């Protein structure tokens, strides 16, 4: 059953904090214990593991929004320290432990099994065509333990949406670094202040902004033009539209139930991050 774009976007807002516990301290420590040199080794090992020992060029293409050369600093080096299979297991264990820690007593609440089941139904129901990272995650076993199952479902839904977002960016001619510049501007930040791209050489970042200015998306002062704002809104709307099929398997009442049940869980994760 098709659902409203507002409800699909609300699911993104609720799923994102649950899925991204993967990038928090507990999983990071677990990867460091395997011999990773830093956070980004663990990030790439864990997130790329479902793709198998794919070369850096493939991971770069699938992840889309990393600057040239960033992936190659970690892939394939990490596969000399661990295997994709081990990285998948470490990521799942660490993420489930982090989520359990962050949501406290909610982890053992009677309704958690139902939430995990509803989320999983949606997460394994979407089409895989053109969704490389989502398809790779779909090939993994779904965890049985409810907290781990909820994290796994959230990760599937996040990466399904992410694959669609990349398609929307490609369709609008927006490259990975350009996408981060647009996010920075939408937050009222200068690109050189934005966490994901602040480390890039100033000349390189300036060239990206100049390119967006030449296309009429950024004005002389470094903010959005009307066309730039409209482009970003179109990309976000298309991303939600492409994410919607994951929820078609749920009835209206079921999706409303899932949203209501995820709200305190997502809020607890956000509070733990503050």
């Amino acid at each position: 059953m098709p659902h409203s774009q507002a409800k699909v976007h609300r699911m993104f807002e609720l799923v994102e904090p649950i899925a991204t516990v993967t990038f928090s301290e507990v999983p990071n420590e677990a990867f460091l214990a395997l011999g990773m040199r830093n956070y980004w080794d663990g990030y790439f090992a864990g997130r790329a593991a479902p793709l198998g020992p794919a070369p850096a060029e493939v991971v770069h293409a699938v992840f889309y929004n990393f600057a040239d050369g960033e992936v190659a600093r970690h892939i394939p080096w990490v596969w000399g320290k661990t295997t994709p299979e081990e990285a998948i297991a470490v990521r799942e264990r660490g993420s489930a432990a982090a989520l359990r820690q962050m949501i406290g007593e909610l982890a053992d609440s009677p309704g958690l099994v139902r939430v995990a089941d509803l989320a999983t139904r949606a997460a394994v129901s979407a089409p895989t065509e053109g969704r490389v990272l989502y398809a790779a995650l779909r090939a993994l076993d779904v965890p049985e333990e409810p907290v781990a199952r909820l994290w796994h479902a959230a990760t599937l839904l996040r990466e399904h949406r992410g694959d669609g977002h990349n398609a929307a960016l490609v369709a609008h001619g927006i490259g990975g670094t350009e996408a981060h510049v647009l996010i920075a501007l939408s937050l009222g930040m200068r690109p050189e202040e934005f966490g994901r791209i602040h480390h890039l050489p100033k000349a390189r970042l300036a060239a990206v902004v100049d390119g967006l200015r030449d296309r009429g998306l950024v004005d002389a002062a470094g903010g959005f033009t009307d066309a730039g704002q409209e482009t970003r809104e179109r990309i976000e709307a298309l991303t939600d539209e492409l994410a919607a099929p994951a929820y078609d398997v749920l009835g209206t009442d079921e999706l409303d139930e899932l949203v209501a049940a995820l709200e305190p869980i997502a809020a607890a994760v956000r509070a733990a991050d503050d």
Side-chain angles (χ1 to χ4, degrees):
M1 173 184 297
H3 299 286
S4 73
Q5 189 166 316
K7 205 169 286 185
V8 171
H9 192 77
R10 181 61 182 146
M11 277 299 300
F12 158 63
E13 293 172 338
L14 295 170
V15 158
E16 183 74 3
I18 296 168
T20 55
V21 301
T22 290
F23 310 127
S24 66
E25 186 176 349
V26 173
N28 181 47
E29 291 293 330
F31 276 111
L32 291 174
L34 290 182
M36 302 294 109
R37 298 164 296 187
N38 51 45
Y39 166 85
W40 286 108
D41 279 346
Y43 172 95
F44 282 105
R47 193 167 175 232
L51 300 168
E57 292 84 354
V58 172
V59 177
H60 174 80
V62 172
F63 286 8
Y64 193 76
N65 57 13
F66 285 90
D68 290 344
E70 287 190 322
V71 175
R73 286 202 285 272
H74 309 277
I75 301 286
W77 184 90
V78 297
W79 303 135
K81 291 290 183 179
T82 186
T83 62
E85 292 77 16
E86 183 179 35
I88 287 165
V90 167
R91 186 189 197 210
E92 182 188 307
R93 280 199 308 271
S95 300
L99 181 56
R100 175 173 286 277
Q101 190 178 88
M102 290 177 182
I103 66 175
E105 61 188 22
L106 289 171
D108 298 308
S109 63
L112 193 85
V113 172
R114 170 70 173 166
V115 181
D117 288 347
L118 282 173
T120 300
R121 267 180 61 202
V124 300
S125 73
T128 56
E129 290 81 5
R131 317 272 187 153
V132 177
L133 189 49
Y134 172 69
L137 287 162
R138 274 277 298 276
L140 304 180
D141 292 335
V142 175
E144 291 189 14
E145 195 279 316
V147 173
R149 190 158 76 250
L150 176 59
W151 166 78
H152 182 74
T155 299
L156 279 164
L157 291 167
R158 177 184 194 261
E159 299 295 14
H160 174 263
R161 187 182 195 278
D163 285 343
H165 183 59
N166 292 345
L169 291 169
V170 170
H172 286 82
I174 301 295
T177 305
E178 290 176 319
H180 286 306
V181 170
L182 295 185
I183 293 172
L185 296 182
S186 73
L187 295 171
M189 299 171 69
R190 297 198 310 276
E192 57 268 27
E193 298 171 333
F194 187 59
R196 285 294 295 273
I197 51 175
H198 77 277
H199 63 287
L200 295 178
K202 287 184 178 178
R204 191 167 172 183
L205 205 47
V208 173
V209 175
D210 286 344
L212 291 169
R213 189 175 287 121
D214 291 344
R215 292 170 57 186
L217 302 180
V218 173
D219 61 25
F224 276 131
T225 60
D226 288 346
Q229 186 64 38
E230 287 166 11
T231 296
R232 186 167 194 283
E233 288 171 2
R234 278 202 310 273
I235 290 169
E236 291 306 308
L238 180 55
T239 298
D240 285 336
E241 188 181 323
L242 293 172
Y247 304 104
D248 289 350
V249 71
L250 300 179
T252 301
D253 290 348
E254 289 176 316
L255 186 56
D256 287 344
E257 179 187 352
L258 180 56
V259 166
L262 286 175
E263 282 178 342
I265 296 170
V269 173
R270 283 192 291 263
D273 273 344
D274 289 344

